[in-house]
Amino acid sequence: MSTPDHRPLLRPSTLVIYVLLAGFGLITLLPFLWMICAAMKTQQDFYTSQFLPPGNGLFGVAWDHLSLSQFVRLFRELPVPRAMLNSVFLASVGSLLATFFCAAGGYALAKFKFPGRELLTTLILGTVVLPGALLLSPRFETLYHLHLVDHYLGIFLPAVAPAFGLYLFRQAMVNSVPNDILESARIDGCGEVRIFFTIVLPLIRPMISAYLIIAFIALWNDFITPQIILQSPELQPLPVAIFELKGLYAADYNLIMAGTLVSIAPVMFLFLLLQREFISGLTSGAVKG
Amino acid sequence: MRSLLKLFSPGLWIVLLMAVISTVLVALLPVKANRGMQMWVFDANHAKIAGFIAEDWNRAHPATPVQVKLITGAALQTRMLSGFYSDTPVADLIEVERSMIGQVFAGPVADVGFVDLTGRLDRENLRTGINEPSFSPWTTRGHIFGLPHDVHPVMLMYRSDLVEAAGIDMSKIETWDDYFRVLRPLMLDLDGDGRPDRYLLNSSPTSLFYHEVLLLQAGGRLFDNANHPKLNEPLNARILAKMATWYTGPTQVAAEAPIGGPSALQLIREGYVIGLLAPDFIAGQIRMSLPDMAGKFKFMPLPAWEKGGRRTSVLGGTMLGITKAGATTSTAWAFAKQLYLSSDTAHRLYDVARIVTPIKANWNQPFYDEPDPFYSNQRIGRMYIQLAPEVPVRPSSPYYPMTQQLLSSVVIRLCRYADEHRLYDGPSLEPEAQRLLDEAQHKVEAQIHRNAFLRADR
Amino acid sequence: MKSSRLHSPWTPWLFLAPFLLSFGAFIAWPAVRSLMLAFEQTYGPKTTAFVGTANLQFLVHDPFLWTAVGNTVVFTLAAVVLQIPVALGLALLLNRSDLRGRRFFRLVFFSPSIVGLAFVAILFSFMLEKRTGLINASLHHLFPAWNPDFPWLDRYVMPSLILAQLWISAGFYMVYFLAALQNVPGELLDAAHIDGAGAWQRFWHVTLPEIRPVLNIILLLVVTGSFQLFDLPYLLYNDTAGSGPDNHALTVVTYLFQTGFRSGDLGYASAIGWMLTLVLVGFALIQRRLARAEES
């Protein structure tokens, strides 16, 4: 950690920094603010103001022009509830499975010596350099032959073996799981599965939380894979559904913005709650400490 | 057990909870099995009309009901292609637009996902009653794969309120040169920023559809009758060179308010564009989306390129196809005929969307002669029908969507060239237009050449 | 690593099995298959034809592919030149430990990267519109000379994409830089300060070398990420399947997607995929070579 400055607190340079940060912060937040206001405005007010519509209310804003009717419309008339269920389902189950598979795989690669371990590790981690686009076509072909197109499993099965996750968990195992604990547990007669769940996993709890959230957000936001694989509208998650909504109701910008808001709110909320784990997990692969 | 619980961070709890609840819900709320025949439609007006006809059909045929679904164009195309390529669920009947049909026809004829209708049309003697050119976009290698939905003649729709307020007489206008010259005084700079706030034509280099409209009107063409690309014919170069002068430089008279987005409606209201290239469906669309603009628009045949030249063109086009993967073809065919061939449909088509039917027998129906109060009591139905014989033929090549985009590229680059060299008259731009069209021609030919499936069929 | 006597030789394989099954079927096998597909032409996964090296020959002359490569390279260069300095700059601003609300600002800057690309595309498609879009309206409000009908999405495709990506990514990489900056030993900085070095010199001679490894990683991430740009242009220009006006928005991955899933030619799409892979692997290797040369 850099040592604290032994100087008075609010120097002019600090003030400048605050001003700069506030300015950039505002620019960064502007789209969000716009989106929130847009979701509550009416068609006509779209042309009268960028943010809150002018009027006779408090602060010169026409508060009575704002309404939540677009949100109601999203949930009552349009297939947003189903899309949200699909998103929650795909993201939560998928991230749990991916986390579990990577943790188990990382454990095996890190804590066991067996013939072929080095080769396997290199092969698997080597695939990190392969761009996702390369595998799109043949993977789709494989799913087609397995009759998994237009099925939830078509999303789950390819998503539960990410090489990047394996790398992170292997690192975590190496760093946080001492061999002697494992040895003494085995000497005590503990079964391998019990060791894994009761000793190993609790030791890498931070990485589990971190990767879970990373995988969850990635799955939640994924557009292209569901677009290719899930063709039935009842299976489609929020990104696909909202985008289709935009095609159908192009001029109803307020409806689309409400839909977008509803789609990013859960992930934003989750992130707010768990930002520390998320960021530490993200940077652990690149930066030590 | 305690050490197991140590594992659970708040994040894990939350995700686990979501997983359990959602899995339960997904299991309990299965995907509804669709009853009866499915029909996919990409246009809201079409969906409305098909909905009415479907209601009648469902009452008469309770055993084989039809369900009409509105899907946005891009998604419809994705799902249709996915269904044809990979057997994902497709509807029994699909309405397809011209810009979407290309890929369907690019493989082996045997693999086209739609049922070949040529035999049925001939056996039931339906071809003669339908405007023959309307079939061409849906025909590949001699086989017809869809029932045509429209004729789509194009007229010029203009802001009569602004024109008449300025005391301009539109009846003297015969050519595009006349049009732009006579209406030039309307191109005003209203807010004093040095740029005009009114333009005379709703088109721009990036518009995908309008270039072809103008090209075909002027006698140019993209493909010949054998579907060979003919992009680089000298006449095309001459036409595009002239068009470029409308889009850029001191001669600019056109800009686009792309119909569909939220700003476009406002721009049109404000008079950003005075004239619009209007196929019949645009008449319906404007009527629907800008009800406050009643009485402010009027129609006239397109100004010709040369005196005595063609006064109309064609834009877009839709067909109804029956998928091979769907339910019984004969039932779908029966519904398709009822939807597309009945005079009831023709009436609704015009009533809701101002679209003229391709069934010639229905052209003498009285509703086409009714004055339209929204359009200053003009009889636009009859006006469009009168232009039908002059409507140019639409190409049916699988590479049509590609050439549409290439045409747009050519115009964009031509305009950039014009700006760089400050050349703003047709003849000076012709050599560059020709060069660009040659390049585009080669691109299309290369793609056609590499297609192993088209080669095999020949 | 030991205790081979206390567990059965099958144990590691047991733990690896779930991962390996999915990995084998959906990553390893497709990687191999893509090599085969590159020599075929398909019309959807059902219909294939062997075409030998025709795909590769076409690839070399394909004008659309090279347009895509050009666009992608331009985008990547802009991303490197903009995203890295901005991210580093924000991190430096935030790195002062006497700063209150650091957690808050970190959250603010990082949040755009949590929004899904699909939603960013929808948001920006509205914000970049003529006349009523947020960006044109704000700029016109601040600078009345700004053209309110500035055609962002029509004529300034690359700037639009670069802008959107900057909004998404600057905060993301800032977090990496922040973590790296926190690891710079305070004693080194203090020593430099005592020696009379100014802020800029401290940065250049102490901070920068210390964070060089992370900088290299971020460079790799930015380049490989930018080179694979797809969702944003595909969604912003969905009506032309991601090509944009005059193919200005076409990127390599977009072209791959169009070829594979619109035209149904999974074969040519795989050929394009391998070209992309070779470029990215090549870049990664070159960068590693240079980084190692620097260290010595």
Side-chain angles (χ1 to χ4, degrees):
Chain A
M1 290 292 269
S2 27
T3 52
D5 291 323
H6 302 296
R7 290 167 260 180
L9 214 49
L10 208 54
R11 291 180 73 248
S13 65
T14 317
L15 193 59
V16 167
I17 291 182
Y18 269 116
V19 166
L20 283 173
L21 283 175
F24 285 122
L26 189 63
I27 294 179
T28 308
L29 287 180
L30 227 51
F32 290 113
L33 294 172
W34 186 84
M35 178 168 45
I36 296 173
C37 294
M40 296 192 289
K41 288 200 294 203
T42 62
Q43 273 275 3
Q44 292 86 331
D45 283 327
F46 183 71
Y47 306 115
T48 58
S49 66
Q50 282 298 320
F51 294 97
L52 295 168
N56 299 318
L58 194 61
F59 301 125
V61 173
W63 298 103
D64 53 324
H65 281 199
L66 299 177
S67 84
L68 296 176
S69 60
Q70 298 300 339
F71 293 96
V72 173
R73 195 169 154 204
L74 279 176
F75 283 94
R76 284 245 193 93
E77 299 169 23
L78 298 167
V80 168
R82 179 77 209 201
M84 182 159 272
L85 175 64
N86 288 329
S87 276
V88 171
F89 178 60
L90 288 171
S92 57
V93 174
S95 60
L96 281 170
L97 288 174
T99 306
F100 179 66
F101 284 19
C102 286
Y107 175 54
L109 287 183
K111 292 290 159 184
F112 290 83
K113 230 176 173 180
F114 55 92
R117 185 185 77 166
E118 293 310 318
L119 182 63
L120 196 60
T121 311
T122 317
L123 266 172
I124 296 180
L125 293 186
T127 63
V128 165
V129 309
L130 294 179
L134 175 69
L135 303 178
L136 264 182
S137 317
R139 185 184 286 177
F140 185 75
E141 202 199 27
T142 306
L143 286 170
Y144 169 74
H145 288 302
L146 290 174
H147 300 287
L148 289 179
V149 178
D150 202 36
H151 196 285
Y152 286 126
L153 281 177
I155 303 280
F156 285 133
L157 292 185
V160 297
F164 178 62
L166 191 68
Y167 167 73
L168 285 180
F169 275 103
R170 183 170 162 277
Q171 277 314 79
M173 294 284 173
V174 165
N175 290 336
S176 323
V177 179
N179 289 332
D180 14 344
I181 293 193
L182 296 178
E183 269 189 58
S184 39
R186 287 196 184 108
I187 289 171
D188 284 348
C190 230
E192 286 300 329
V193 177
R194 188 138 160 244
I195 292 180
F196 181 67
F197 281 101
T198 59
I199 299 178
V200 177
L201 288 187
L203 283 173
I204 57 160
R205 189 178 122 149
M207 183 47 94
I208 291 183
S209 304
Y211 192 72
L212 197 60
I213 301 303
I214 293 174
F216 184 93
I217 295 183
L219 277 167
W220 180 279
N221 285 336
D222 191 8
F223 173 81
I224 205 55
T225 319
Q227 233 245 340
I228 303 176
I229 296 179
L230 297 175
Q231 294 303 323
S232 297
E234 297 85 3
L235 299 179
Q236 288 172 341
L238 284 167
V240 181
I242 302 294
F243 198 73
E244 261 191 50
L245 217 59
K246 174 166 189 279
L248 286 174
Y249 299 98
D252 283 352
Y253 76 102
N254 42 5
L255 179 69
I256 309 298
M257 285 294 101
T260 310
L261 201 54
V262 153
S263 306
I264 70 178
V267 159
M268 281 291 168
F269 175 68
L270 211 60
F271 171 70
L272 266 168
L273 224 57
L274 305 159
Q275 48 171 308
R276 203 162 9 126
E277 284 113 319
F278 183 91
I279 290 179
S280 77
L282 209 59
T283 54
S284 73
V287 183
K288 289 166 287 278
Chain B
M1 192 57 201
R2 181 121 48 89
S3 46
L4 191 59
L5 280 175
K6 254 201 302 171
L7 171 58
F8 283 73
S9 63
L12 188 51
W13 275 120
I14 295 177
V15 176
L16 206 54
L17 198 63
M18 283 197 279
V20 168
I21 296 181
S22 61
T23 309
V24 166
L25 284 175
V26 163
L28 289 180
L29 301 170
V31 173
K32 298 180 258 108
N34 290 311
R35 288 190 58 248
M37 293 194 289
Q38 293 284 303
M39 174 168 167
W40 285 349
V41 170
F42 60 86
D43 179 278
N45 283 337
H46 295 196
K48 216 185 286 186
I49 296 165
F52 291 137
I53 307 292
E55 267 174 40
D56 295 338
W57 167 276
N58 292 347
R59 253 171 286 153
H61 303 84
T64 50
V66 171
Q67 192 187 18
V68 178
K69 268 202 192 156
L70 178 62
I71 305 178
T72 180
L76 186 144
Q77 185 176 11
T78 304
R79 270 185 236 177
M80 173 182 70
L81 286 176
S82 173
F84 292 165
Y85 290 149
S86 327
D87 304 327
T88 54
V90 273
D92 305 88
L93 296 144
I94 306 181
E95 269 196 353
V96 192
E97 220 269 335
R98 274 180 73 208
S99 53
M100 301 176 200
I101 197 70
Q103 289 312 323
V104 177
F105 292 158
V109 170
D111 281 1
V112 172
F114 288 115
V115 170
D116 185 346
L117 298 175
T118 331
R120 276 169 220 268
L121 287 164
D122 284 334
R123 275 197 306 272
E124 299 179 39
N125 212 0
L126 292 170
R127 279 176 81 162
T128 43
I130 299 178
N131 186 34
E132 183 67 25
S134 295
F135 278 113
S136 72
W138 321 116
T139 312
T140 184
R141 284 156 276 190
H143 299 262
I144 303 177
F145 286 99
L147 272 183
H149 176 265
D150 43 56
V151 181
H152 284 335
V154 178
M155 282 204 278
L156 184 74
M157 182 169 116
Y158 63 93
R159 288 289 297 273
S160 50
D161 58 333
L162 296 174
V163 161
E164 279 156 24
I168 294 177
D169 180 7
M170 298 293 279
S171 59
K172 299 283 179 42
I173 295 174
E174 282 182 42
T175 66
W176 283 112
D177 286 336
D178 290 342
Y179 175 76
F180 291 126
R181 191 190 63 245
V182 167
L183 263 71
R184 196 65 201 253
L186 285 177
M187 265 183 71
L188 301 168
D189 175 8
L190 297 168
D191 55 7
D193 61 352
R195 281 180 290 261
D197 296 292
R198 296 238 162 94
Y199 288 92
L200 304 178
L201 187 64
N202 185 29
S203 179
S204 77
T206 53
S207 38
L208 274 181
F209 303 102
Y210 298 136
H211 304 312
E212 193 199 352
V213 171
L214 295 165
L215 189 77
L216 291 179
Q217 183 203 5
R221 62 178 181 173
L222 296 171
F223 294 92
D224 64 12
N225 295 333
N227 272 333
H228 297 135
K230 291 287 172 203
L231 285 167
N232 53 356
E233 288 188 329
L235 178 57
N236 289 347
R238 211 174 315 141
I239 297 166
L240 291 185
K242 179 94 185 263
M243 266 167 58
T245 65
W246 297 349
Y247 293 139
T248 191
T251 46
Q252 180 178 2
V253 285
E256 194 179 2
I259 298 181
S263 343
L265 296 180
Q266 187 62 9
L267 286 172
I268 293 179
R269 262 194 209 101
E270 287 176 11
Y272 185 69
V273 284
I274 307 254
L276 295 97
L277 293 168
D280 47 4
F281 65 88
I282 291 289
Q285 249 183 2
I286 297 287
R287 211 171 118 251
M288 283 282 166
S289 24
L290 292 168
D292 49 311
M293 300 283 286
K296 298 200 176 166
F297 288 105
K298 271 196 182 153
F299 283 84
M300 61 178 272
L302 291 180
W305 278 79
E306 289 158 345
K307 254 191 143 127
R310 211 200 296 253
R311 299 291 305 253
T312 188
S313 185
V314 69
L315 194 166
T318 302
M319 76 165 218
L320 181 62
I322 301 173
T323 58
K324 286 176 178 160
T328 5
T329 307
S330 36
T331 331
W333 174 241
F335 178 73
K337 281 188 292 180
Q338 180 167 336
L339 178 61
Y340 268 40
L341 306 181
S342 69
S343 52
D344 185 32
T345 304
H347 192 171
R348 288 191 204 270
L349 209 56
Y350 185 71
D351 207 27
V352 172
R354 289 287 178 269
I355 293 178
V356 169
T357 177
I359 317 299
K360 295 188 288 204
N362 290 322
W363 283 356
N364 51 22
Q365 296 278 354
F367 51 82
Y368 288 120
D369 293 294
E370 276 173 32
D372 189 339
F374 188 87
Y375 291 113
S376 313
N377 287 325
Q378 285 185 309
R379 296 166 167 70
I380 59 173
R382 186 57 54 199
M383 288 171 79
Y384 275 117
I385 291 178
Q386 274 162 354
L387 292 168
E390 284 185 70
V391 168
V393 174
R394 296 171 277 189
S396 70
S397 163
Y399 294 92
Y400 164 68
M402 184 184 171
T403 53
Q404 227 187 3
Q405 288 197 4
L406 282 172
L407 205 57
S408 178
S409 287
V410 167
V411 176
I412 291 174
R413 291 190 197 187
L414 193 57
C415 289
R416 204 169 43 213
Y417 177 86
D419 286 332
E420 276 167 21
H421 295 84
R422 298 194 196 277
L423 293 168
Y424 298 115
D425 65 294
S428 319
L429 292 173
E430 254 181 72
E432 178 68 6
Q434 183 68 53
R435 190 189 71 81
L436 290 168
L437 283 171
D438 287 334
E439 257 180 37
Q441 172 78 6
H442 287 141
K443 286 182 187 169
V444 181
E445 281 174 346
Q447 285 286 344
I448 293 179
H449 183 72
R450 84 169 269 275
N451 188 332
F453 303 110
L454 275 185
R455 280 203 305 270
D457 270 351
R458 259 187 238 133
Chain C
M1 306 290 148
K2 39 202 306 349
S3 12
S4 49
R5 274 150 270 141
L6 288 175
H7 65 80
S8 109
W10 295 112
T11 316
W13 294 102
L14 178 73
F15 283 105
L16 271 171
F19 186 91
L20 279 183
L21 277 171
S22 168
F23 182 82
F26 298 107
I27 298 182
W29 163 246
V32 170
R33 175 79 183 125
S34 67
L35 210 46
M36 295 158 56
L37 272 174
F39 299 98
E40 296 174 17
Q41 191 179 96
T42 79
Y43 185 67
K46 284 186 288 191
T47 317
T48 60
F50 182 76
V51 292
T53 54
N55 284 340
L56 300 176
Q57 287 172 3
F58 192 78
L59 199 145
V60 174
H61 297 114
D62 185 352
F64 291 113
L65 178 64
W66 293 106
T67 304
V69 169
N71 290 338
T72 312
V73 168
V74 167
F75 179 80
T76 305
L77 284 174
V80 169
V81 163
L82 285 177
Q83 286 173 23
I84 295 185
V86 170
L88 184 54
L90 288 174
L92 285 170
L93 282 179
L94 271 187
N95 192 33
R96 303 275 296 257
S97 63
D98 58 340
L99 212 60
R100 262 174 303 192
R102 190 206 310 199
R103 178 88 66 86
F104 170 75
F105 279 112
R106 190 181 66 170
L107 177 65
V108 165
F109 291 124
F110 191 76
S111 54
S113 60
I114 303 292
V115 182
L117 285 170
F119 306 116
V120 175
I122 293 177
L123 195 56
F124 270 80
S125 73
F126 285 119
M127 294 198 328
L128 289 167
E129 276 198 341
K130 291 192 213 182
R131 194 73 68 92
T132 48
L134 178 66
I135 296 183
N136 274 336
S138 312
L139 286 173
H140 184 63
H141 190 71
L142 290 172
F143 311 105
W146 179 267
N147 179 6
D149 292 324
F150 192 77
W152 284 101
L153 290 172
D154 285 334
R155 289 240 220 143
Y156 295 90
V157 176
M158 215 20 96
S160 303
L161 292 172
I162 293 171
L163 189 67
Q165 191 66 53
L166 184 63
W167 182 74
I168 296 170
S169 300
F172 183 80
Y173 295 118
M174 175 201 82
V175 156
Y176 281 89
F177 277 128
L178 205 52
L181 287 174
Q182 311 253 287
N183 281 341
V184 173
E187 307 84 56
L188 286 182
L189 282 169
D190 281 348
H193 182 69
I194 290 171
D195 280 348
W200 172 256
Q201 283 165 314
R202 274 185 307 214
F203 171 73
W204 191 256
H205 292 288
V206 179
T207 315
L208 208 50
E210 284 293 316
I211 63 170
R212 182 138 263 151
V214 175
L215 189 60
N216 280 329
I217 293 182
I218 292 187
L219 182 63
L220 187 64
L221 287 177
V222 172
V223 168
T224 50
S226 306
F227 229 83
Q228 297 179 61
L229 180 68
F230 169 66
D231 300 63
L232 211 52
Y234 180 73
L235 292 170
L236 276 174
Y237 294 101
N238 198 243
D239 51 343
T240 50
S243 298
D246 195 17
N247 291 313
H248 283 315
L250 190 66
T251 66
V252 177
V253 177
T254 307
Y255 188 53
L256 189 158
F257 179 84
Q258 288 176 355
T259 311
F261 294 94
R262 277 268 198 115
S263 309
D265 192 353
L266 301 172
Y268 190 55
S270 298
I272 299 173
W274 275 106
M275 188 211 79
L276 176 68
T277 308
L278 290 175
V279 168
L280 288 178
V281 170
F283 176 80
L285 287 176
I286 294 176
Q287 203 216 9
R288 193 135 68 114
R289 183 75 59 84
L290 286 177
R292 249 187 257 152
E294 266 171 16
E295 278 165 33
S296 53

